[in-house]
Amino acid sequence: MKLLTVIGARPQIIKAAAFSRAVAQWNESHDMHVREVILHTGQHYDDNMSAVFFRELGIPEPDINLHVGSGSHGAQTARMIEGIEEVLVNGEKESGEKFDGVVLYGDTNSTLAGAVAAAKIHVPVFHIEAGLRSWNMAMPEEINRIVCDQLSSVLFTPTKTGMNNLLKAGFRMSGLEDERVSGERVHFRNGKGQYVVLSGDVMYDNSMYFASMAETKSDIIERLHLTPKHFILATIHRPANTDSATNLTAIFRALLTIATEHDMQVVLPLHPRTRKLLPNQLSAELLQQVEQCPNMIITEPASFFDIIRLEKHAQVVMTDSGGVQKEAFFFSTPCVILRPETEWVEIVEAGAGILADADYDRILAAYRQLANHPVHFPPLFGDAHAAEHILNQIVEYLN
């Protein structure tokens, strides 16, 4: 059985580690082997945003790299579709064998391209992290995840909320069970239907697998002279924030207030694009205050093991990243969400995250609430074996 795994952005590389481990474990214990070929679109191409994660996480280096790079959504996605389609049509380079299915993650342009390329030529699509919804069509990610869900043969949703979102979005299901529902209407050329699996979250798999390892492989707490539970981890990368002077100013004003008035260290591993935009989006006065504040620690993008330790030992995480929201929850760290909505509504409903948007007053109020009151972290994201469940379902589907 031959699977093409498509990745392109930093979060997908990390998620792929869990699936690659599951494939390796499967092949050790089954006569029928699964061959995973990894295709990197090149959507993230900076070493700190891509290559370092293959080295750190022990993921096999990509078998194929399209080197697409940056560009407009249309141009970038079109180049990806062309490259992925060529691989699927021609089969694996060495053997010419065709692929039995395509594994996709999340909601990036690489996800969208993989779904369109595969579905058009009738290759089954397996979408990991299906069913997530922000209900905000101004987000490119929302468009990507919706399209990928519609084109997928099997949708692996990490939470019950994801399952319910698919029902609300018009998926007609029959035989509703706790872990799997079958589609009534959608059928593919192979005569098989479409179904949804409540699989758990592969990022929870990774976090539990790598948590203890991070304590020995990362020295970022010591290197930055941080005091555990007495610093804030902040990550900002979404265009809704980085491309808006108003939003970015409000966020940095709030972080500066926390750093000065609460005497709290604020660690900012800045996305290259965010760092580049700071001089244009912040006033010269605010930028100077941020750069001169000893409690504001701006660093390069953190490695996977570094980010795990930062999430684990922070007092509070502040982020506009969906993945970081979850990881903070995995490590029982409360989170201020710098967006007006989130796909991970369970975190907010549990009281472990507060939606503050890019609003100065709301950010400060959310921080004070989470820093000064008990927060609970109920089990929401599976049993830390999601990748194994997913691979079992893929094998069953293709057989």
Side-chain angles (χ1 to χ4, degrees), residues 282-297:
L282 303 186
S283 68
E285 180 184 7
L286 178 57
L287 183 58
Q288 184 180 42
Q289 290 174 334
V290 167
E291 291 176 339
Q292 293 181 352
C293 177
N295 276 347
M296 295 287 289
I297 304 170

Side-chain angles (χ1 to χ4, degrees), residues 56-208:
E56 280 198 328
L57 305 186
I59 309 170
E61 285 289 327
D63 301 278
I64 304 161
N65 195 320
L66 301 183
H67 298 290
V68 166
S70 58
S72 68
H73 285 287
Q76 185 186 62
T77 307
R79 291 196 295 271
M80 292 176 185
I81 292 172
E82 182 180 23
I84 295 168
E85 181 184 63
E86 182 179 352
V87 170
L88 292 174
V89 168
N90 294 332
E92 190 177 11
K93 189 173 182 180
E94 291 78 9
S95 66
E97 293 178 355
K98 299 300 176 66
F99 292 93
D100 299 297
V102 173
V103 178
L104 304 172
Y105 298 87
D107 53 21
T108 70
N109 286 345
S110 299
T111 310
L112 174 64
V116 172
K120 287 274 190 176
I121 57 175
H122 311 294
V123 177
V125 173
F126 305 109
H127 186 199
I128 296 173
E129 258 190 12
L132 304 185
R133 296 292 184 270
S134 68
W135 312 110
N136 179 2
M137 293 297 289
M139 292 175 59
E141 295 89 350
E142 185 78 352
I143 297 166
N144 293 344
R145 63 174 70 107
I146 288 172
V147 173
C148 187
D149 281 349
Q150 294 290 339
L151 298 178
S152 295
S153 293
V154 185
L155 293 75
F156 294 102
T157 186
T159 63
K160 290 184 178 179
T161 299
M163 181 78 83
N164 291 334
N165 285 341
L166 293 171
L167 296 174
K168 292 176 184 176
F171 281 72
R172 293 170 58 86
M173 308 293 180
S174 63
L176 187 62
E177 300 172 357
D178 285 343
E179 295 185 354
R180 172 170 161 171
V181 293
S182 300
E184 291 182 332
R185 296 183 302 177
V186 178
H187 294 279
F188 299 96
R189 191 175 71 169
N190 58 15
K192 294 181 179 178
Q194 180 183 53
Y195 64 82
V196 183
V197 174
L198 180 59
S199 61
D201 196 310
V202 293
M203 283 306 294
Y204 185 50
D205 295 14
N206 271 338
S207 295
M208 296 304 99

Side-chain angles (χ1 to χ4, degrees), residues 10 45-53 55 272 300-304:
R10 166 181 172 155
Y45 49 87
D46 180 89
D47 186 76
N48 285 335
M49 300 296 288
S50 178
V52 66
F53 293 99
R55 295 194 296 269
E300 295 298 315
S303 72
F304 181 69

Side-chain angles (χ1 to χ4, degrees), residues 212-238:
S212 59
M213 207 179 297
E215 294 297 328
T216 58
K217 288 186 174 289
S218 167
D219 65 350
I220 194 164
I221 302 295
E222 296 76 18
R223 189 168 73 246
L224 298 181
H225 306 290
L226 302 172
T227 301
K229 299 303 177 184
H230 195 76
F231 69 90
I232 305 298
L233 169 64
T235 75
I236 308 156
H237 78 281
R238 289 191 181 272

